[in-house]
Amino acid sequence: MKKLLAWVLALCTIFSLAACGGKGEKEEPEEVIDMTVLNARDLKVNNLTTPLGIDTKPTFCWTNKTNTVGRVQTAYQIIVASTKELAEAHTGDIWDTGKVASDDNYDIPYSGKELTSCTDYYWSVCVWDETDTPSQWTKVQRFGTGMLEQSDWTAKWIGGQIQTNRNGIAPAPMLRKGFELSDKVKNAKVYICGLGLFELKVNGQLPDDSVLNPSDTQYEDTVSYCVFDVTEFLNKGKNAVTVELGGGFYNLTDPISVNFVNGVWRDDPKLLMELHVEYENGQTEVIVSDESWHCYDDGPIQKNSIYMGEIYYASNERDGWTEADFDDSKWSNARLADAPTGKLKFENMEPMRRVETVPATVEKVDGTWLVTCEKFTTGWAKIRFKEPKKASQIKIRYLQKESERANGLYTDVGGEGVTSLELQAYTYVPKGEKVEIYEPKFSYCGYQVIEITGYAGELTAEDVECYMITTDMEHVGSFESGNEQINQLHDMVVRTMMCNTQGKPTDTPVFEKLGWTGDYNGMIKTFNYNLDTTSFLPHFLHNLRDTGLETGQ
């Protein structure tokens, strides 16, 4: 019986000797390995799985795993190669540490050959245990560099022709570049900064499932850029890249009390983008943002505010504008824009994603549709309208609770002659088709109830998808007790944290959406216990450092 119990424990107990964080691209299915020996798993660079824009000195980490009790790492070897084939042959032509006697497996700094900008590298690890038995080499992982020097950027900042008027209203600019590629594509990446927020498509396809890119920063000091692998979306021949820009915190024109409208960085939305293409024949090409791009300045998003919501005119949609064969010859050329003063820096942090679809019920009360989520959440909803009346105004209000329906959600403002503005209020103006789907993209809400007025059609639970949107940090801690109320309390705490991590730790997803330090200071141990903050926290601390004065305040 004792032998049987020992075997069960050995097979079922998989434990980590150390851990490191980050979450990135999907990994390929893992190969069959011998778990009776020590093995390095979950490889990360700068605490992310497959970062493609590293522009600081890389650090390496991994988790050691085994199903045998008592295993300890006593040495490691890291190799970094210029090709996947070399890495698979365990040849580190860029860096080979050799066998290093150490139990370190976290934040090991790179010390190989000088890395070059916009380049992919491949790496693998072997570890030795207390008996000096080596593990299998890990499956080869990739990381990429971004722009290692500010001068490496060759693109120009561009924007739409219509600039924000004195009432803070301007449609979201739609920017487009059509181009031809001369051969089959081996590798292609987009390096992009769109201020305040952007949605990128390549030949009509989103590059991944992230939203609300990039996270906000202290723009006069730092602006974040993102990197996407778009190899699979490009073709030999005609192609198109499109970007739609939102205001975010960069062009926040609503006169709320925190006075973003007078921020030293505030300006109209703008884009900086480079598409780096490597052909199968070895040649390369770079497509950059410049005045040759075309823009459309009267698109469907007539107004957007990170606080107040959006006004969306569906009849202003330009069908097919993200596709390669779209005719943009009647569009204007993009306007060259002033560069922000902040330094461009790779967003070395997990992006925001739709991490959960929250169950919801739908009912009609006195001619008004009410959507009630199972739980409070932060994000938005995708709503399908059936045969909506053309040019009618469908009002969509996101509320924390049903009792707020009477008066709505308002915030104090600092504008002359105005005392308050309604928060989280959206207007959708249909174009009169059989089915129309609306989902915001440049604004998010804290809500449990959605009120929909001005829509005469039918609405069911199948027509509404309510999303939780948060910085997609891995859940690394858990808690369970014999008391169900205490368990529920813990779950509420974790959900509250998720509802307040949209690129930074916030005090509320409804009213301020700001990174007050007192709130995070009081919760940081709980954050670190439950969520992998190894990338999120340094990003926030960098922003805090940017806000400091020369006096140290």
Side-chain angles (χ1 to χ4, degrees):
M1 184 68 181
K2 290 182 179 179
K3 289 185 178 181
L4 177 60
L5 181 59
W7 273 106
V8 171
L9 289 172
L11 291 171
C12 297
T13 305
I14 296 181
F15 56 92
S16 298
L17 302 180
C20 60
K23 189 172 183 179
E25 296 181 350
K26 293 189 297 183
E27 292 188 10
E28 297 176 4
E30 294 186 352
E31 73 276 22
V32 177
I33 59 174
D34 182 3
M35 290 303 294
T36 63
V37 300
L38 197 66
N39 285 279
R41 315 299 294 166
D42 304 326
L43 276 61
K44 310 285 192 329
V45 179
N46 287 20
N47 295 315
L48 296 175
T49 301
T50 314
L52 298 179
I54 296 295
D55 54 12
T56 58
K57 187 175 185 177
T59 59
F60 299 84
C61 67
W62 58 88
T63 300
N64 288 319
K65 293 186 178 180
T66 180
N67 61 11
T68 304
V69 175
R71 294 283 185 236
V72 178
Q73 176 187 307
T74 58
Y76 68 81
Q77 182 177 0
I78 302 172
I79 60 102
V80 178
S82 57
T83 68
K84 185 177 181 180
E85 292 73 22
L86 283 172
E88 287 174 339
H90 314 141
T91 301
D93 62 326
I94 304 300
W95 187 37
D96 187 341
T97 65
K99 184 178 179 181
V100 178
S102 172
D103 61 358
D104 289 344
N105 67 326
Y106 188 82
D107 274 357
I108 297 171
Y110 175 80
S111 58
K113 295 180 181 178
E114 184 176 355
L115 303 178
T116 57
S117 292
C118 306
T119 304
D120 283 343
Y121 296 95
Y122 303 85
W123 70 294
S124 185
V125 178
C126 177
V127 296
W128 284 260
D129 65 13
E130 76 285 351
T131 67
D132 204 34
T133 301
S135 69
Q136 298 172 238
W137 281 92
T138 63
K139 181 179 291 186
V140 171
Q141 298 293 312
R142 176 175 67 141
F143 72 93
T145 52
M147 304 292 182
L148 300 180
E149 302 291 340
Q150 297 293 291
S151 58
D152 291 335
W153 290 93
T154 60
K156 298 178 182 179
W157 286 96
I158 60 173
Q161 291 291 348
I162 296 180
Q163 297 172 269
T164 307
N165 66 23
R166 63 187 182 89
N167 296 317
I169 298 176
M174 299 160 59
L175 299 165
R176 187 180 188 281
K177 175 68 174 180
F179 57 94
E180 291 203 11
L181 297 177
S182 60
D183 205 342
K184 291 184 178 179
V185 176
K186 178 182 178 182
N187 186 22
K189 288 195 284 295
V190 167
Y191 304 79
I192 178 171
C193 177
L195 298 177
L197 299 168
F198 69 84
E199 183 180 81
L200 165 73
K201 289 188 177 181
V202 179
N203 289 331
Q205 301 295 312
L206 294 167
D208 65 11
D209 60 352
S210 62
V211 296
L212 295 172
N213 290 308
S215 64
D216 60 298
T217 57
Q218 195 73 12
Y219 297 108
E220 76 269 31
D221 295 308
T222 301
V223 290
S224 294
Y225 67 91
C226 305
V227 183
F228 301 98
D229 188 325
V230 296
T231 307
E232 64 178 299
F233 307 121
L234 293 171
N235 310 296
K236 179 181 178 180
K238 294 176 65 175
N239 295 269
V241 172
T242 61
V243 179
E244 197 167 8
L245 296 174
F249 285 94
Y250 182 72
N251 188 39
L252 186 57
T253 57
D254 299 300
I256 61 176
S257 57
V258 288
N259 202 26
F260 276 109
V261 69
N262 292 318
V264 296
W265 63 76
R266 197 193 70 75
D267 200 359
D268 292 293
K270 58 189 63 175
L271 168 70
L272 184 74
M273 197 213 79
E274 296 190 10
L275 169 60
H276 289 229
V277 178
E278 178 187 0
Y279 293 111
E280 288 188 351
N281 63 14
Q283 294 182 335
T284 60
E285 185 173 355
V286 180
I287 290 94
V288 302
S289 55
D290 58 22
E291 60 271 41
S292 70
W293 281 52
H294 288 93
C295 69
Y296 186 73
D297 287 306
D298 194 22
I301 302 178
Q302 290 288 295
K303 182 179 180 180
N304 65 95
S305 165
I306 200 77
Y307 288 99
M308 308 306 166
E310 295 180 1
I311 298 175
Y312 191 97
Y313 278 75
S315 59
N316 287 30
E317 294 173 349
R318 302 295 93 178
D319 292 338
W321 80 280
T322 63
E323 303 293 341
D325 58 357
F326 181 80
D327 181 8
D328 61 10
S329 60
K330 294 183 180 180
W331 287 19
S332 303
N333 284 89
R335 172 182 56 87
L336 291 180
D338 293 332
T341 59
K343 179 181 178 181
L344 285 155
K345 184 177 183 291
F346 173 62
E347 187 166 283
N348 197 94
M349 179 180 67
E350 297 88 347
M352 285 173 267
R353 294 189 176 98
R354 305 173 186 85
V355 300
E356 179 187 353
T357 300
V358 184
T361 60
V362 175
E363 61 177 331
K364 197 171 188 178
V365 179
D366 297 329
T368 296
W369 290 105
L370 292 183
V371 179
T372 304
C373 296
E374 185 179 86
K375 300 176 182 178
F376 184 90
T377 192
T378 296
W380 60 60
K382 180 168 69 173
I383 304 173
R384 179 174 59 184
F385 298 109
K386 289 165 285 190
E387 298 183 349
K389 183 180 178 182
K390 183 177 180 179
S392 62
Q393 292 203 354
I394 300 174
K395 302 288 187 178
I396 306 167
R397 294 200 301 170
Y398 289 78
L399 307 169
Q400 297 177 105
K401 50 190 177 181
E402 188 174 349
S403 60
E404 293 170 341
R405 287 185 58 207
N407 298 313
L409 284 170
Y410 287 83
T411 183
D412 294 334
V413 301
E416 184 178 349
V418 183
T419 58
S420 63
L421 288 172
E422 186 170 14
L423 296 161
Q424 305 188 160
Y426 296 71
T427 300
Y428 180 78
V429 181
K431 55 185 174 182
E433 295 193 347
K434 186 174 183 179
V435 175
E436 298 184 32
I437 297 175
Y438 173 60
E439 178 180 1
K441 63 179 68 171
F442 297 136
S443 175
Y444 72 89
C445 307
Y447 69 101
Q448 188 168 6
V449 175
I450 305 172
E451 178 194 79
I452 302 173
T453 57
Y455 172 54
E458 291 299 311
L459 198 69
T460 68
E462 288 71 33
D463 297 319
V464 183
E465 293 182 20
C466 298
Y467 298 123
M468 156 76 86
I469 294 172
T470 185
T471 299
D472 194 12
M473 291 176 281
E474 182 181 359
H475 290 248
V476 294
S478 61
F479 172 84
E480 186 175 3
S481 73
N483 188 308
E484 188 57 33
Q485 285 186 318
I486 295 177
N487 293 339
Q488 290 178 358
L489 179 62
H490 174 264
D491 292 344
M492 290 166 61
V493 169
V494 172
R495 188 168 190 85
T496 300
M497 292 189 297
M498 293 174 64
C499 283
N500 283 281
T501 48
Q502 286 68 44
K504 60 181 181 291
T506 68
D507 60 333
T508 162
V510 179
F511 294 99
E512 293 182 345
K513 302 184 178 181
L514 301 176
W516 296 112
T517 55
D519 301 71
Y520 197 38
N521 184 56
M523 288 291 293
I524 191 166
K525 290 184 178 180
T526 307
F527 265 92
N528 291 345
Y529 176 81
N530 287 279
L531 302 172
D532 180 2
T533 62
T534 49
S535 295
F536 179 81
L537 180 55
H539 180 85
F540 179 57
L541 292 178
H542 180 91
N543 285 345
L544 285 183
R545 190 161 53 246
D546 281 349
T547 65
L549 303 176
E550 292 182 0
T551 60
Q553 294 176 288

